[in-house]
Amino acid sequence: MALPTYTFDAIIIGAGGAGMRAALALAESGAQVALVSKVFPTRSHTVSAQGGITCALGNVHPDDWRWHMYDTVKGSDYIGDQDSIEYMCEVGPQVVYELEHMGLPFSRLDNGRIYQRPFGGQSKDFGGDQAARTCAAADRTGHALLHTLYQRNLAEKTNVFSEWFALDLVKAADGQGFAGVIAMNIESGEAVFLHARAIIFATGGAGRIYQSTTNALINTGDGIGMAIRAGLPVQDIEMWQFHPTGIAGAGVLVTEGCRGEGGYLINKNGERFMERYAPHAKDLASRDVVARAMSLELRGGNGYDINGVSCVKLKLDHLGAELINSRLPGIRELSITFAGVDPIREPIPVVPTCHYMMGGIPTNRFGQVINVDAKGKEEVLEGLYAVGECACVSVHGANRLGGNSLLDLVVFGRAAGLDVKEKIRDLPLKSVTEAELDAAMSRLNRWDNTREGESVSQIRFEMQKTMQEDFGVFRTGEHMQQGLDKLLQLQQRLNHAAFTDHSRVFNTSRIEALELDNLMATALATAHAALYRTESRGAHSREDFPKRDDAKWLTHTVYHGEGNRMSTRAVNMKPLHVKPFEPKERVY
Amino acid sequence: MSEAMRTVKFKIYRFNPEVDIKPSMKDYELTIPDKQDMMLLEAILRIKALDDSLAFRRSCREGVCGSDGMNINGRNGLACVTLLSSLKQPIELRPLPGLPVIRDLVVDMKVFFEQYAKVKPYLINNDPPPAKERLQSPAERKKLDGLYECILCACCSTSCPSFWWNPEKFIGPAGLLQAYRFIADSRDTAKVERLEGLTDPFSVFRCRGVMNCVEVCPKGLNPTRAIGHIRSELLAEGN
Amino acid sequence: MDKKRPVFLNLTKIRMPMAAIVSILHRASGFVLFLTIPYLLYLWLMSLSSAEGYDALQTALHGGVTQILVYLVLLALVYHWVAGIRHLLMDMGIGEEKVSGRRGAILVLAVVVILALLLGVWLW
Amino acid sequence: MVKSATSLTGNGVRDWLWQRVSAVILAVYTLFILGFIWLTPQLDYVAWFQFFQGIWVKLFTLLAALSLLTHTWVGMWTILTDYVKSTRLRLTFEILVIIALFLYFLVAIAIVWSV
């Protein structure tokens, strides 16, 4: 089968914050770039980010990027790569100023500088007082950021392949790396081969492996699935952040900025329970800490019961209507819509909800994908990049700090774009064989040729339920093993699943089937990695191994799709400009 | 103990260019627990689980991405923030009015995005940027409130009769809201050029103050007022 | 492919809010007034042509087709006038919000109904 | 920027302004005439005729006629460009409307002249 071929210098898959920042860096250089996105760019999940983007501007108090670095390393429970964290925190201010210059409508302080608010896990002077480091555009920072980046790309006339779905990587004829990707125009249903010197994955998260998630419906781990099928490893994929404040029942996110602005959590006795769990930082402890505390409260019977859902409440009413309307207007809107509660008058019912994938495709601090072979040998894949949530660069380690994901997106999206720009003339356009193209098309062909089988939605439902029940805030080996067994069965069933509508034009059930392949791959990787790490660290909290075990597990886990094998990879403890931060006990 | 159930009736606009010559309305019924309310999007997702040929767009499911704009019982809105209980049955779902239908509830938004792009929706400031941020007072920033929050769902423009009749010439409420978002930004230096590009009898002045845009905007924004501000600026500039 | 694409624009299926109805009627009344300009010119000429013409008009205005026609024309004029004032106020930024826009529209209809009644009382 | 040769001034701001100015004049003129009719105790042909003999009334009437021409043209042009999509048909209608409006205007002048 001859596929139509389009050739570019670089293709970027995903048009969220990371993909669009990378595209912008490249478009400004005059390179031929294709920005491929399965949704119109401003529909990407970055749009839902609320609270802000963290970096040490020092607008509210004297600040230092090293303090931000310290907090991030500590927040990561010490398995974040310190060279990457250093880079992110150091260039952060410059990258945020660039966004401001592009027109991002940040909220302002009285002196006209960018407004910064306190967020969880932030400290001054390496663990001192609470800092206010998160730059915000009210509580719509992600929206403001994503639209600004789209607008800049519009100005730079980036080629956007809007509503194109990437299927799989195509291996190069010589076996060295990848020559491009197969992508499908959703509108026509036709597949093409996108041939390029460089490929940047910016496909975002996969929170839809869980039943209850703050993630958009499009967060289906497409990059993770593609990477695993291409034989690439994924790293620290057991690390899933549960955000403390998802609206009970709806899963919609309520920003940590609410607590930054002075809100706090209460149990059914009206008690501000975080004072017991984190006497110093209280409600602004790290997210893993708060989510665990909430789960313990609910377990102890201290939760409210709202239509059968057990939850705690986020109290904001004491902040006053004016502050809520100016700093948290979007939260008020969401709370009224999804919880039927006006936070000016009543607290919002919340539960810990799956929010963020700390793990992903391992990369170095330029965004270059690192392959780890069976013997643990590492190799940088020239021309292949991963940025944003789908990547594990790794700045978040075992637990991401609030406000660090937007920073991650723009810092590493930009870094990858700049790196490609520099190398583009040296990167070859690799040749392909029919066999490799056919291999990359085989998945689509399998779906298209199956007329009868179990439905996609049924398998997806069971997978999400399994993940929710067995891989949540608290985990045990026994339950996880049961969960893994179930997932392996589901994977078998998925091989024979089918959709009934086989038309081409805008066939979203076809897309959903392809997405489920990616979700399943991510779920399986998560399950294997979670069973593998026999300790508790950051978001990975095992009741059968309640302690952190630095002797054995101060390391990344690496999942290899082939044979579902696990291995480890050393954490980078060598920042370039400062002394490394050594692991300490993590208290807030 | 079995829960009391109820049936919710739908009529959904269906058109698949590969099989249909013209669109038709198809009936659906969904059985849900009596007491349970849900967002319309959730209901449509359940319908899709029963009939996977139904096509619609969706992403964030919380009203910030702007994917699932559609005509719900005659009124444009986002399915994900519309409660089922607020709708009269049978719930009639149609694509956004005035745009070519690709399939079912999915419309071709090309002309809508072209009108958006026409207003140069990006900050223009050719002065060399300072080392830090460009300063902006809270009062100057406040002028952007009610403008920058647009999610490009197209509910407004596709409810606007002026946009129906002249989609290629009239920028439409969504585009004009963004035009004013940049005119109003204290950091933008291209106000005069921006205004000059809007003086013709169509781009702005097709607005007849019908106010359908204000009526349907799921974010509570007010394009009519923004258009009024643009007109005032045009008059003040003496164009 | 494009040519086959249908467009949903069935105006009987799209709900029009009050403000839209008031605005559309403004256009419709304006169009009616345009069509009746020659008739108004004719009546005006008649009224000024001679005392006989004036009296004939006076008589015609108290019964029959002329009375009804003139009433309808005046109704269109009153509507166009009142709704036009609303548009002028909106140009000044009054009644441009969702709630005030609805209220303004209802107010226009209420005023027109009252004026239509008064007009009827006056003509009959 | 959308080019348009057939609108009143070819410029949206001026079209808009003229439509508003003419609207205000017509609104006031309407009140003026109705006010005269209602407030004149013994309205008969003589009173009516004499009223239109007044130089200011004549001028105001001519101004109103001019405003009607302007106002109607902007309104009709908008209606035609909204609903008539065939350029040839629309141009035909536009010419017909212009001819009609000018004729009406001439008739109005003649009537005012005759008083």
Side-chain angles (χ1 to χ4, degrees):
Chain A
M1 188 174 71
L3 277 177
T5 301
Y6 300 162
T7 305
F8 294 93
D9 289 329
I11 39 185
I12 299 167
I13 305 165
M20 285 215 278
R21 187 61 190 80
L24 192 56
L26 279 165
E28 285 167 348
S29 77
Q32 281 299 311
V33 195
L35 180 58
V36 180
S37 174
K38 66 176 176 177
V39 291
F40 181 76
T42 62
R43 323 280 191 226
S44 307
H45 187 51
T46 303
V47 82
S48 295
Q50 300 170 350
I53 176 166
T54 304
C55 72
L57 299 186
N59 284 356
V60 176
H61 53 71
D63 207 351
D64 190 317
W65 65 263
R66 293 165 196 86
W67 302 348
H68 180 197
M69 179 181 172
Y70 167 85
D71 290 341
T72 304
V73 172
K74 176 183 170 187
S76 80
D77 222 347
Y78 299 95
I79 60 163
D81 287 334
Q82 296 200 13
D83 61 335
S84 302
I85 297 175
E86 178 187 50
Y87 176 71
M88 177 176 82
C89 296
E90 195 176 0
V91 306
Q94 186 192 338
V95 173
V96 169
Y97 289 140
E98 282 171 10
L99 290 171
E100 196 282 330
H101 297 154
M102 288 178 206
L104 200 155
F106 282 111
S107 298
R108 299 288 171 156
L109 296 161
D110 284 338
N111 63 7
R113 298 212 169 272
I114 294 170
Y115 171 73
Q116 293 186 284
R117 61 162 55 115
F119 246 58
Q122 294 180 353
S123 73
K124 297 180 199 169
D125 205 16
F126 309 108
D129 292 342
Q130 174 72 42
R133 193 175 287 137
T134 301
C135 311
D139 56 358
R140 302 187 178 95
T141 316
H143 171 282
L145 185 146
L146 190 67
H147 280 255
T148 301
L149 286 175
Y150 177 66
Q151 291 161 348
R152 277 320 310 170
N153 272 290
L154 208 55
E156 298 293 340
K157 301 188 169 57
T158 305
N159 291 309
V160 181
F161 285 65
S162 181
E163 296 185 327
W164 280 62
F165 185 79
L167 292 168
D168 266 307
L169 281 163
V170 179
K171 288 201 172 94
D174 61 2
Q176 300 296 305
F178 301 91
V181 293
I182 304 281
M184 183 210 286
N185 178 353
I186 297 176
E187 188 179 309
S188 69
E190 303 304 329
V192 304
F193 172 48
L194 299 178
H195 197 186
R197 297 169 197 280
I199 304 161
I200 302 178
F201 270 28
T203 56
R208 285 283 151 181
I209 61 172
Y210 286 90
Q211 210 165 29
S212 168
T213 173
T214 65
N215 282 201
L217 290 153
I218 58 170
N219 285 23
T220 53
D222 299 334
I224 304 295
M226 282 190 275
I228 291 173
R229 282 190 299 274
L232 298 173
V234 291
Q235 177 174 290
D236 295 338
I237 197 74
E238 71 277 19
M239 297 298 179
W240 282 88
Q241 178 164 80
F242 282 73
H243 195 290
T245 54
I247 294 178
V252 171
L253 173 71
V254 171
T255 176
E256 187 169 313
C258 290
R259 283 170 283 142
E261 297 287 349
Y264 56 84
L265 296 162
I266 51 173
N267 61 22
K268 77 169 180 196
N269 308 317
E271 184 203 2
R272 185 175 181 180
F273 58 87
M274 278 314 297
E275 288 176 335
R276 274 190 278 124
Y277 294 92
H280 181 65
K282 296 180 187 126
D283 296 83
L284 286 177
S286 234
R287 285 179 179 171
D288 56 336
V289 175
V290 181
R292 269 193 295 276
M294 289 168 71
S295 296
L296 289 172
E297 287 297 300
L298 298 180
R299 241 184 226 189
N302 288 335
Y304 292 86
D305 184 323
I306 307 247
N307 303 325
V309 180
S310 186
C311 62
V312 300
K313 288 191 178 180
L314 174 64
K315 187 173 149 57
L316 298 175
D317 49 69
H318 58 286
L319 301 177
E322 196 188 329
L323 185 138
I324 291 175
N325 284 330
S326 64
R327 301 277 186 229
L328 305 166
I331 291 309
R332 186 173 175 219
E333 190 182 315
L334 287 173
S335 176
I336 291 171
T337 307
F338 287 94
V341 160
D342 184 348
I344 288 176
R345 282 190 286 277
E346 270 181 86
I348 311 169
V350 291
V351 288
T353 306
C354 167
H355 181 58
Y356 187 85
M357 174 175 81
M358 269 77 72
I361 305 164
T363 72
N364 62 21
R365 67 175 192 282
F366 308 105
Q368 291 179 291
V369 173
I370 294 166
N371 197 4
V372 185
D373 73 6
K375 291 176 191 118
K377 208 182 104 209
E378 292 184 10
E379 174 202 14
V380 170
L381 290 171
E382 292 296 335
L384 185 63
Y385 294 75
V387 289
E389 192 169 341
C390 75
C392 184
V393 51
S394 130
V395 285
H396 309 305
N399 171 67
R400 175 172 73 74
L401 292 188
N404 267 358
S405 71
L406 289 185
L407 186 65
D408 169 12
L409 300 184
V410 286
V411 165
F412 293 104
R414 173 178 174 274
L418 294 176
D419 200 60
V420 172
K421 180 168 133 184
E422 209 164 281
K423 294 178 179 158
I424 199 79
R425 264 172 297 164
D426 304 326
L427 289 171
L429 194 64
K430 296 166 188 151
S431 56
V432 285
T433 62
E434 279 297 307
E436 290 299 351
L437 285 171
D438 288 347
M441 282 293 289
S442 62
R443 196 163 66 97
L444 181 65
N445 291 335
R446 196 299 274 167
W447 280 110
D448 282 348
N449 294 328
T450 308
R451 296 282 152 167
E452 267 175 41
E454 205 181 346
S455 82
V456 167
S457 55
Q458 178 60 31
I459 295 174
R460 186 177 53 216
F461 173 78
E462 289 184 39
M463 177 206 68
Q464 290 169 335
K465 192 160 175 281
T466 305
M467 292 306 293
Q468 192 75 26
E469 284 169 0
D470 299 327
F471 299 91
V473 175
F474 287 106
R475 300 166 170 182
T476 65
E478 193 194 337
H479 282 121
M480 288 195 290
Q481 188 59 53
Q482 287 168 6
L484 174 60
D485 294 344
K486 182 87 208 266
L487 287 176
L488 289 167
Q489 286 169 16
L490 283 169
Q491 189 190 30
Q492 290 306 313
R493 283 161 59 187
L494 180 58
N495 288 335
H496 307 287
F499 47 85
T500 53
D501 170 29
H502 284 265
S503 60
R504 292 294 168 111
V505 174
F506 226 100
N507 183 344
T508 51
S509 59
R510 200 166 168 225
I511 302 295
E512 285 182 21
L514 294 161
E515 287 175 335
L516 184 56
D517 287 332
N518 297 327
L519 283 171
M520 190 63 82
T522 314
L524 271 167
T526 302
H528 280 107
L531 267 164
Y532 181 61
R533 189 184 283 275
T534 51
E535 64 154 355
S536 289
R537 181 184 299 272
H540 181 64
S541 189
R542 286 186 65 152
E543 289 174 293
D544 45 355
F545 296 95
K547 289 252 160 25
R548 192 173 88 188
D549 180 358
D550 285 345
K552 189 166 176 215
W553 290 112
L554 189 67
T555 180
H556 297 299
T557 64
V558 180
Y559 167 82
H560 309 265
E562 210 178 321
N564 287 318
R565 228 170 25 76
M566 293 299 308
S567 65
T568 61
R569 183 174 167 245
V571 173
N572 184 306
M573 295 280 189
K574 295 190 188 100
L576 303 178
H577 307 134
V578 297
K579 278 205 297 203
F581 295 105
E582 298 300 332
K584 288 195 293 193
E585 199 195 345
R586 205 166 140 248
V587 283
Y588 285 99
Chain B
M1 193 190 81
S2 74
E3 232 176 325
M5 305 294 271
R6 68 187 160 119
T7 305
V8 185
K9 288 188 166 63
F10 295 84
K11 278 184 180 304
I12 304 181
Y13 182 102
R14 299 300 310 269
F15 174 74
N16 179 346
E18 289 162 80
V19 286
D20 301 328
I21 296 159
K22 61 186 183 63
S24 60
M25 297 299 286
K26 189 167 174 191
D27 293 335
Y28 290 94
E29 285 188 359
L30 197 63
T31 308
I32 59 169
D34 218 356
K35 281 187 216 146
Q36 194 188 2
D37 200 0
M38 63 175 74
M39 292 300 172
L40 174 60
L41 177 64
E42 173 62 27
I44 305 174
L45 289 168
R46 290 185 190 198
I47 291 173
K48 185 165 174 65
L50 304 172
D51 175 359
D52 70 10
S53 70
L54 178 65
F56 51 92
R57 294 189 175 101
R58 82 286 181 280
S59 173
C60 77
R61 61 83 177 87
E62 58 186 26
V64 294
C65 80
S67 296
D68 62 350
M70 56 185 73
N71 192 268
I72 306 161
N73 279 353
R75 185 177 188 276
N76 287 355
L78 299 180
C80 61
V81 291
T82 303
L83 276 171
L84 218 49
S85 60
S86 70
L87 300 170
K88 232 177 37 202
Q89 290 184 45
I91 296 166
E92 299 191 7
L93 303 178
R94 294 186 176 80
L96 291 173
L99 295 177
V101 175
I102 296 173
R103 172 177 181 163
D104 299 342
L105 301 174
V106 178
V107 290
D108 181 358
M109 298 182 67
K110 189 162 164 265
V111 67
F112 172 78
F113 290 130
E114 279 170 0
Q115 292 296 358
Y116 169 69
K118 228 191 235 179
V119 305
K120 297 200 166 86
Y122 37 81
L123 195 82
I124 299 175
N125 186 330
N126 293 327
D127 303 336
K132 292 188 171 182
E133 66 267 58
R134 288 196 167 97
L135 298 182
Q136 185 173 50
S137 72
E140 288 167 333
R141 169 60 181 75
K142 206 165 193 298
K143 289 186 181 157
L144 308 184
D145 283 342
L147 302 172
Y148 80 96
E149 300 94 324
C150 171
I151 57 174
L152 300 177
C153 64
C155 283
C156 59
S157 292
T158 61
S159 72
C160 173
S162 295
F163 192 73
W164 294 338
W165 314 136
N166 285 294
E168 271 102 30
K169 294 178 177 174
F170 176 49
I171 287 170
L176 290 171
L177 190 80
Q178 288 318 297
Y180 188 62
R181 177 250 173 275
F182 288 96
I183 290 170
D185 196 318
S186 62
R187 300 168 293 174
D188 192 275
T189 55
K191 182 172 158 183
V192 175
E193 297 95 287
R194 288 180 189 282
L195 289 173
E196 274 169 8
L198 297 173
T199 53
D200 65 275
F202 281 95
S203 299
V204 176
F205 288 92
R206 269 298 133 144
C207 172
R208 321 304 312 168
V210 177
M211 285 184 70
N212 279 3
C213 53
V214 185
E215 192 70 38
V216 300
C217 175
K219 305 309 284 181
L221 309 179
N222 191 327
T224 301
R225 190 176 47 203
I227 293 167
H229 287 315
I230 294 176
R231 235 171 14 220
S232 306
E233 295 280 357
L234 285 169
L235 289 169
E237 289 283 319
N239 282 293
Chain C
M1 191 155 70
D2 281 38
K3 283 200 191 93
K4 286 204 310 193
R5 284 181 178 169
V7 172
F8 164 59
L9 199 55
N10 180 342
L11 296 185
T12 63
K13 300 290 181 195
I14 298 172
R15 224 167 63 201
M16 283 293 164
M18 197 58 88
I21 293 167
V22 165
S23 173
I24 290 161
L25 284 175
H26 184 239
R27 170 170 288 192
S29 60
F31 184 68
V32 168
L33 288 173
F34 163 71
L35 294 182
T36 55
I37 291 174
Y39 183 58
L40 288 173
L41 283 173
Y42 164 73
L43 293 181
W44 185 35
L45 180 63
M46 189 170 158
S47 72
L48 288 171
S49 58
S50 63
E52 290 74 34
Y54 182 88
D55 291 341
L57 183 60
Q58 282 293 328
T59 319
L61 275 176
H62 285 88
V65 186
T66 309
Q67 187 180 25
I68 291 167
L69 277 180
V70 167
Y71 179 71
L72 290 179
V73 171
L74 285 178
L75 199 59
L77 180 66
V78 164
Y79 185 89
H80 201 73
W81 197 93
V82 176
I85 296 292
R86 170 169 173 267
H87 276 299
L88 289 173
L89 288 174
M90 281 170 62
D91 289 339
M92 292 188 275
I94 300 165
E96 272 190 326
E97 310 298 317
K98 191 162 168 174
V99 176
S100 59
R102 283 182 195 159
R103 280 200 196 127
I106 292 169
L107 191 66
V108 164
L109 290 180
V111 169
V112 168
V113 167
I114 293 169
L115 290 179
L117 289 174
L118 289 175
L119 208 59
V121 171
W122 180 56
L123 268 181
W124 268 274
Chain D
M1 185 72 102
V2 181
K3 293 240 167 8
S4 171
T6 54
S7 90
L8 180 68
T9 64
N11 171 300
V13 194
R14 282 192 290 263
D15 276 11
W16 182 88
L17 207 57
W18 279 119
Q19 193 184 26
R20 264 57 184 180
V21 169
S22 57
V24 171
I25 292 169
L26 287 170
V28 174
Y29 185 77
T30 311
L31 283 185
F32 177 64
I33 297 296
L34 287 176
F36 172 74
I37 292 173
W38 279 325
L39 296 177
T40 309
Q42 209 61 76
L43 186 63
D44 54 13
Y45 175 69
V46 177
W48 183 241
F49 193 83
Q50 279 174 349
F51 172 69
F52 279 103
Q53 275 186 320
I55 179 69
W56 292 111
V57 176
K58 280 189 179 200
L59 284 177
F60 196 10
T61 304
L62 285 177
L63 184 65
L66 200 61
S67 296
L68 187 67
L69 175 71
T70 310
H71 193 77
T72 311
W73 172 242
V74 178
M76 287 305 296
W77 179 81
T78 314
I79 290 178
L80 289 173
T81 44
D82 268 358
Y83 304 132
V84 185
K85 289 295 149 194
S86 144
T87 310
R88 190 189 291 176
L89 201 59
R90 193 180 62 243
L91 283 177
T92 311
F93 278 131
E94 285 177 354
I95 289 166
L96 288 176
V97 170
I98 289 180
I99 291 172
L101 288 176
F102 266 104
L103 278 177
Y104 301 156
F105 183 55
L106 292 179
V107 170
I109 291 175
I111 296 175
V112 170
W113 195 261
S114 71
V115 177

